[in-house]
Amino acid sequence: MFRQVTIFLLICFSIAFSEEVAKKIESMIISRISSVVTGKQYRIKTYVTDNMKYIFKYSKILIPSYECDKADIIIAGEQLKNKDCEKKVMIVTKYYLLRNYKNAVAAFYWYKGRPNILFIKERLERFGINLPEKYKKYTDSEKDL
């Protein structure tokens, strides 16, 4: 019985640890994407949806903005409650949100356990955002969504 309880606890701890590691990786990638999109290297004012608040725990360059009109960028992991926020430059964390929001210039999402980054070429041009050369391989056309 002791052996079964020990194995169960080890499995629970490893699952919790892996979720925490995934959140840390996601925060780091979203921070880099935010830096590329805004052109800032630090103190990027960021408005996030409720399910994305954990990124501030791991990011060194993103700072919370509690009003979307004062934010440099919006990171949406779910539907936005405030329609005024949809007018700002956005990064989304679900592929379907990329189709829903016409101001979403980039997406970071997990697919089959792998992280995926996607920039939309036409939306980047509309906001006057130039990507560094190393990120151009992640661009796609809005027609392909």
Side-chain angles (χ1 to χ4, degrees):
M1 181 70 176
F2 177 74
R3 185 180 224 169
Q4 291 173 337
V5 171
T6 305
I7 292 171
F8 175 74
L9 289 174
L10 284 173
I11 291 171
C12 289
F13 285 128
S14 66
I15 290 171
F17 180 73
S18 66
E19 287 180 25
E20 201 66 24
V21 169
K23 286 181 179 182
K24 186 175 183 176
I25 292 169
E26 186 172 334
S27 296
M28 290 170 30
I29 293 171
I30 289 173
S31 295
R32 285 187 187 158
I33 294 171
S34 299
S35 179
V36 167
V37 169
T38 62
K40 292 183 172 184
Q41 299 301 315
Y42 60 95
R43 297 192 52 81
I44 301 170
K45 294 178 190 168
T46 309
Y47 181 84
V48 297
T49 54
D50 289 338
N51 66 334
M52 297 301 298
K53 293 193 186 281
Y54 64 87
I55 66 170
F56 298 120
K57 179 178 177 181
Y58 301 109
S59 176
K60 295 178 181 171
I61 65 170
L62 301 178
I63 58 171
S65 174
Y66 300 104
E67 297 175 22
C68 61
D69 59 333
K70 294 181 180 176
D72 296 321
I73 195 161
I74 295 173
I75 299 174
E78 59 188 20
Q79 290 292 119
L80 288 169
K81 296 173 185 161
N82 187 347
K83 295 292 181 188
D84 293 334
C85 294
E86 295 178 20
K87 298 172 185 169
K88 288 273 200 177
V89 176
M90 297 175 69
I91 297 171
V92 295
T93 61
K94 307 254 189 295
Y95 186 80
Y96 76 92
L97 291 174
L98 194 59
R99 287 189 229 136
N100 290 355
Y101 295 120
K102 299 301 178 194
N103 285 352
V105 296
F108 171 76
Y109 57 96
W110 295 89
Y111 180 70
K112 293 186 178 180
R114 293 188 207 117
N116 290 279
I117 300 170
L118 183 62
F119 292 96
I120 305 301
K121 188 176 8 176
E122 294 85 357
R123 296 177 188 179
L124 291 168
E125 289 171 0
R126 185 172 31 156
F127 287 104
I129 299 168
N130 294 319
L131 290 179
E133 196 61 40
K134 69 179 184 178
Y135 291 101
K136 290 191 178 183
K137 63 184 175 185
Y138 302 112
T139 59
D140 205 357
S141 177
E142 195 168 14
K143 300 170 192 167
D144 296 332
L145 293 180

